[in-house]
């Protein structure tokens, strides 16, 4: 497998970033929904700090991913893909990118405007605040964060649904291009 993307498939850097960010976002969504259920105790703050630190990690990885995508390009659509599907896929991908940036930024802004204790990234260093304490900004950032997760999850559901549709119904290479080469179907031996 190549480092850089080709016209036919995603390279291993794009694949690693894609799957790492996907797992982190889905894990954070679950963690975020559970935050309301955790009693306000030292464990609550540990879970909340884990959520925030992971969000900042997603933000950093998304910056790397966007830079890599702009530099390494993207595979062409699978031959036979209707133009309207290409446009919807492109729009959905860029909307996911936008929301994957908006979510950690709105969370960071919410934390900053709340005037809470200093945020440390996995306890290693203090993260600077984006704003001074501000109740109105805190409310706006909170609303953006809460609404944003539903938009992001809807986009991810559409993205996953489309990938599965292409894999199981259309039976093209759309999904396997984002998997390691070992998942690529082997060509049939005509002698067999």
């Amino acid at each position: 497998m190549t480092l850089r993307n080709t016209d036919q498939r995603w390279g291993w850097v794009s694949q690693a970033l894609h799957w790492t960010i996907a797992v982190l976002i889905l894990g954070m969504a679950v963690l975020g929904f559970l935050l309301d259920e955790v009693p306000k105790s030292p464990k609550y703050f540990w879970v909340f700090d884990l959520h925030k630190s992971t969000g900042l990690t997603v933000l950093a990885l998304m910056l790397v991913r966007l830079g890599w995508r702009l530099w390494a390009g993207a595979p062409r659509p699978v031959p036979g893909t209707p133009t309207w599907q290409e446009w919807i896929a492109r729009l959905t991908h860029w909307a996911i990118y936008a929301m994957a940036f908006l979510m950690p930024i709105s969370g960071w802004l919410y934390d900053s405007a709340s005037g809470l204790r200093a945020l440390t990234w996995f306890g290693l260093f203090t993260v600077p605040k984006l704003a001074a304490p501000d109740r109105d900004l805190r409310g706006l950032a909170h609303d953006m964060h809460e609404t944003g997760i539903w938009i992001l999850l809807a986009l991810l559901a559409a993205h996953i649904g489309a990938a599965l549709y292409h894999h199981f119904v259309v039976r093209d290479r759309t999904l396997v291009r984002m998997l390691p080469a070992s998942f690529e179907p082997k060509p049939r031996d005509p002698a067999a």
Side-chain angles (χ1 to χ4, degrees):
M1 181 182 326
T2 64
L3 177 75
R4 196 166 173 182
N5 304 330
T6 69
D7 283 347
Q8 301 302 312
R9 63 182 293 114
W10 297 95
W12 71 264
V13 172
S14 293
Q15 290 180 21
L17 288 167
H18 175 274
W19 294 110
T20 301
I21 292 168
V23 167
L24 290 175
I25 286 175
L26 293 175
M28 281 203 347
V30 169
L31 197 58
F33 289 127
L34 293 177
L35 280 173
D36 291 336
E37 306 302 319
V38 177
K40 303 281 193 271
S41 68
K43 180 189 266 187
Y44 171 82
F45 294 107
W46 180 85
V47 172
F48 207 67
D49 286 347
L50 176 64
H51 179 79
K52 293 176 188 179
S53 294
T54 306
L56 292 173
T57 303
V58 167
L59 179 60
L61 289 173
M62 282 302 300
L63 287 169
V64 171
R65 183 172 183 183
L66 179 60
W68 183 260
R69 170 110 185 234
L70 294 173
W71 181 76
R76 291 185 184 147
V78 171
T81 303
T83 304
W84 67 270
Q85 284 184 9
E86 290 178 29
W87 279 100
I88 289 174
R90 191 172 293 124
L91 180 65
T92 303
H93 281 115
W94 288 109
I96 289 171
Y97 272 62
M99 294 309 298
F101 278 109
L102 177 70
M103 290 305 298
I105 291 170
S106 64
W108 188 3
L109 188 58
Y110 171 60
D111 178 77
S112 298
S114 295
L116 301 173
R117 61 188 171 77
L119 168 60
T120 59
W121 185 75
F122 294 110
L124 297 175
F125 61 85
T126 301
V127 177
K129 298 287 187 183
L130 293 178
D134 181 318
R135 187 182 341 191
D136 292 336
L137 183 57
R138 175 185 178 266
L140 175 65
H142 181 266
D143 291 346
M144 286 171 43
H145 201 65
E146 283 204 343
T147 303
I149 190 58
W150 292 109
I151 294 169
L152 180 56
L153 290 175
L155 290 166
L156 292 175
H159 178 66
I160 293 165
L164 294 174
Y165 168 78
H166 276 274
H167 189 71
F168 292 109
V169 177
V170 179
R171 298 186 179 273
D172 66 18
R173 297 184 61 250
T174 299
L175 176 61
V176 296
R177 297 181 329 156
M178 187 49 92
L179 297 171
S182 58
F183 286 88
E184 187 81 35
K186 305 294 182 232
R188 292 186 182 174
D189 181 4

